[in-house]
Amino acid sequence: MQFDWTTFVLEVINFLVLVWLLKHFFYKPVLNILDARQERVRAEVARAEQLQQDAEALKAQYEARLADWNKEREQARQQLEQELAQLRAVSTENIKQSLADEEAKARVRGAAITASREAELARQAAGEAYENASAMLRRLATPELTASIVKMFQQDMKALPSAEQEALRKAAQVVESGVTVEIASAHALNDKDLSSISQSLSEVACRPINAVFKLDPELIAGLRVTVGECLLHANLAEELQFFRRQSKYA
Amino acid sequence: MNPEAIDHPVVFYLAGLPVGSTVLTTWGVMIFVVVLAMILTRSLQQTPARGQTIAEGIVATIETAMAEVLPKASVRRVLPFIATLWIFVLVANLVGLIPELHSPTRDLSTTAALAALVFASTHWFGIRSKGLRNYLKHYAEPNIILLPFHITSELTRTLALAVRLFGNMMSLEMAALLVLMIAGFLVPVPLLMLHIIEALVQAYIFGILALIYIAGAIVPNESESDATDPGSSEPAQQLPLLNHKE
């Protein structure tokens, strides 16, 4: 264990030199690069924080917009539901009205068809009734019946309304210019009946009338008098036709 | 016992001054450390290579250790001295593992020089930090009666600093030498492993004590910090370290 002052002093100098060397060639460059890196890291951290803040702001903005959008969507949905409900109600009402109209139309159409069929059936029934009645009356028709009808004709002529008498008089005036008066009968009439008929017509027409007799079995029973454009029916065929026509319009 | 193992013979004279093996070994250590530092810091980049990573790791570790004791503003100012102390003592301690070489730190002159530098730097940094008047005033606190004790403490801890490192390294080399002489070739290997641990521990102890002494001189005491700048005071749990005496 020796202590040497020279070594002591040299060691002091050596150490101080070493401190200086290391300070300039080791510590300072390394600390500078560490500081630079730390500064860079700090700047990057600040930038990252700024980016994070921006991202959070964007996120908040997006969430706000999303919330607004959801609100708007909800409002639009509610409005759409209301509109749909109104439209549904209107459509339902229209459909109901249309159905009611269609139903009424169908009902009317059905009634018309039914009425038409009923009318057709009535016509058919009337026709058949006419045919049956005609067939039965043809079997029942006799000259006596025709004579009875002639008498009834003569009585009716006396009670003929004034308007019809006037029409007959006008028709008789036309007869004078060449048109003949025709008396058609289902059965042959005797001269007495013919003269009485002519007499009755002359009285009503206020002038003498010369009639032409004609036999027409289609009349079944009774007679038909044609004075110009005026027809006087007193026969079963015409009565049946009358009933047939009436049944058509019933 | 070979006296060469203990003595430090003069190798040559430089301008009439005797230069011993300790100084030569120290120069070798210096060259090694400086060259290694220059290699590691040859091309510094923002993205560090392997060597740069090692260099940054060393400096950052030392800086972090110092930041736990010193005020932040004083770390960079004290770092070159303390870091060099750690690096130099560590390398100087490990040099003893190389055959035919001896650790410079097993020479009392070297450890005394380092302790003297720590003593001087303590006052240097203390005066720079507080000013001469305030720095000297703390010797008379809390009472002027304690002034001799403060002075004695300063001297004894410096002496202890020098003798502790010298004694540990000297005894370690002596023990290895004795075991080698008695037991043979491979037996001292565990002792050499212990040498590595001891070198690390002694370098750490020397450096941390120097750091604590400097911190004690720089950091204002509790009454001063209350009176001046409460924000700059160190945490309360570090105060016992500042009063550490060896």
Side-chain angles (χ1 to χ4, degrees):
Chain A
M1 180 174 166
Q2 292 179 344
F3 184 82
D4 182 36
W5 282 104
T6 306
T7 305
F8 177 83
V9 172
L10 287 175
E11 289 291 348
V12 169
I13 295 170
N14 287 340
F15 187 81
L16 292 176
V17 170
L18 183 61
V19 168
W20 186 87
L21 288 173
L22 288 181
K23 182 179 179 181
H24 285 84
F25 294 109
F26 188 57
Y27 305 133
K28 191 176 284 184
V30 172
L31 287 173
N32 286 339
I33 199 76
L34 284 173
D35 290 343
R37 186 179 299 127
Q38 193 171 8
E39 186 61 32
R40 192 184 68 177
V41 169
R42 194 178 293 117
E44 288 183 355
V45 167
R47 182 169 163 270
E49 288 176 349
Q50 183 62 38
L51 286 174
Q52 187 178 8
Q53 289 177 356
D54 293 345
E56 287 176 353
L58 284 174
K59 184 183 175 186
Q61 184 182 359
Y62 168 75
E63 287 176 349
R65 287 173 60 186
L66 189 63
D68 292 342
W69 182 78
N70 284 332
K71 191 176 177 182
E72 291 176 2
R73 185 184 63 178
E74 187 63 24
Q75 290 177 348
R77 192 178 65 79
Q78 290 178 354
Q79 186 178 357
L80 182 62
E81 284 181 352
Q82 290 176 356
E83 290 177 357
L84 284 175
Q86 292 176 354
L87 188 61
R88 192 182 299 116
V90 171
S91 298
T92 305
E93 191 62 31
N94 289 338
I95 289 170
K96 283 181 180 177
Q97 186 64 36
S98 176
L99 285 174
D101 294 344
E102 289 295 327
E103 187 179 359
K105 287 179 182 175
R107 198 162 45 241
V108 169
R109 204 160 38 240
I113 291 170
T114 303
S116 173
R117 286 181 180 174
E118 286 177 351
E120 182 66 23
L121 288 173
R123 274 195 302 275
Q124 288 178 0
E128 289 177 3
Y130 171 78
E131 293 298 331
N132 292 335
S134 176
M136 190 179 69
L137 288 175
R138 282 180 195 283
R139 293 176 65 185
L140 295 174
T142 60
E144 288 78 15
L145 182 59
T146 299
S148 299
I149 293 172
V150 168
K151 288 178 182 176
M152 187 178 65
F153 174 76
Q154 289 174 345
Q155 291 172 359
D156 289 344
M157 285 298 292
K158 291 176 182 176
L160 196 67
S162 58
E164 292 182 1
Q165 287 180 7
E166 183 65 25
L168 188 62
R169 275 195 294 274
K170 287 182 179 177
Q173 290 175 358
V174 176
V175 169
E176 288 180 351
S177 61
V179 178
T180 58
V181 173
E182 183 187 84
I183 299 172
S185 170
H187 298 90
L189 299 175
N190 51 33
D191 294 336
K192 184 183 176 184
D193 290 335
L194 287 174
S195 63
S196 65
I197 292 169
S198 298
Q199 181 63 32
S200 298
L201 290 172
S202 298
E203 289 175 359
V204 173
C206 299
R207 66 188 62 204
I209 291 176
N210 295 320
V212 178
F213 179 75
K214 180 184 177 183
L215 191 61
D216 187 359
E218 291 297 320
L219 298 177
I220 302 173
L223 74 166
R224 181 185 64 225
V225 178
T226 305
V227 182
E229 60 182 7
C230 186
L231 283 175
L232 298 173
H233 289 283
N235 56 73
L236 294 180
E238 186 61 29
E239 290 300 321
L240 287 174
Q241 286 292 340
F242 173 76
F243 286 119
R244 191 176 182 181
R245 284 195 296 274
Q246 289 298 318
S247 64
K248 273 187 186 176
Y249 302 118
Chain B
M1 182 179 294
N2 186 5
E4 286 290 324
I6 301 174
D7 293 337
H8 310 285
V10 175
V11 178
F12 65 92
Y13 287 87
L14 180 66
L17 294 173
V19 176
S21 61
T22 301
V23 175
L24 275 179
T25 310
T26 301
W27 286 347
V29 169
M30 289 172 62
I31 292 169
F32 171 76
V33 170
V34 171
V35 169
L36 183 64
M38 292 177 76
I39 290 172
L40 292 177
T41 59
R42 189 170 43 193
S43 58
L44 296 176
Q45 295 172 346
Q46 283 292 331
T47 303
R50 184 182 298 176
Q52 184 179 342
T53 304
I54 295 171
E56 290 180 2
I58 293 169
V59 175
T61 303
I62 293 172
E63 187 181 27
T64 304
M66 292 176 65
E68 293 178 357
V69 181
L70 288 173
K72 190 176 179 180
S74 305
V75 171
R76 290 289 173 92
R77 194 168 57 202
V78 183
L79 187 138
F81 179 75
I82 294 297
T84 306
L85 207 54
W86 258 322
I87 293 170
F88 174 74
V89 173
L90 176 63
V91 177
N93 288 346
L94 291 174
V95 164
L97 293 172
I98 301 172
E100 298 299 327
L101 289 179
H102 300 287
S103 299
T105 48
R106 69 157 204 170
D107 190 337
L108 185 60
S109 303
T110 303
T111 58
L114 296 175
L117 285 168
V118 170
F119 177 81
S121 64
T122 300
H123 300 303
W124 169 254
F125 289 118
I127 292 169
R128 282 189 64 183
S129 175
K130 297 179 177 179
L132 181 60
R133 185 182 180 87
N134 285 332
Y135 180 72
L136 292 177
K137 197 167 66 177
H138 88 278
Y139 282 103
E141 290 177 348
N143 197 303
I144 191 65
I145 299 172
L146 293 175
L147 178 61
F149 297 98
H150 279 302
I151 294 172
T152 306
S153 170
E154 293 282 341
L155 296 174
T156 54
R157 75 182 186 185
T158 303
L159 182 62
L161 202 60
V163 173
R164 181 190 305 106
L165 182 59
F166 162 72
N168 278 288
M169 298 313 297
M170 181 68 182
S171 61
L172 197 64
E173 283 201 10
M174 286 298 297
L177 185 62
L178 288 173
V179 172
L180 185 63
M181 289 173 64
I182 296 170
F185 182 61
L186 292 176
V187 176
V189 171
L191 207 60
L192 293 176
M193 301 297 289
L194 181 64
H195 189 140
I196 296 174
I197 298 171
E198 184 68 13
L200 290 168
V201 170
Q202 287 305 318
Y204 177 75
I205 289 173
F206 197 93
I208 201 72
L209 286 175
L211 179 61
I212 289 169
Y213 297 156
I214 292 170
I218 289 175
V219 178
N221 57 31
E222 201 166 345
S223 59
E224 286 176 343
S225 66
D226 290 342
T228 56
D229 185 10
S232 63
S233 63
E234 286 298 299
Q237 60 268 24
Q238 292 187 7
L239 290 176
L241 286 174
L242 304 182
N243 296 324
H244 182 79
K245 301 292 188 296
E246 287 290 334

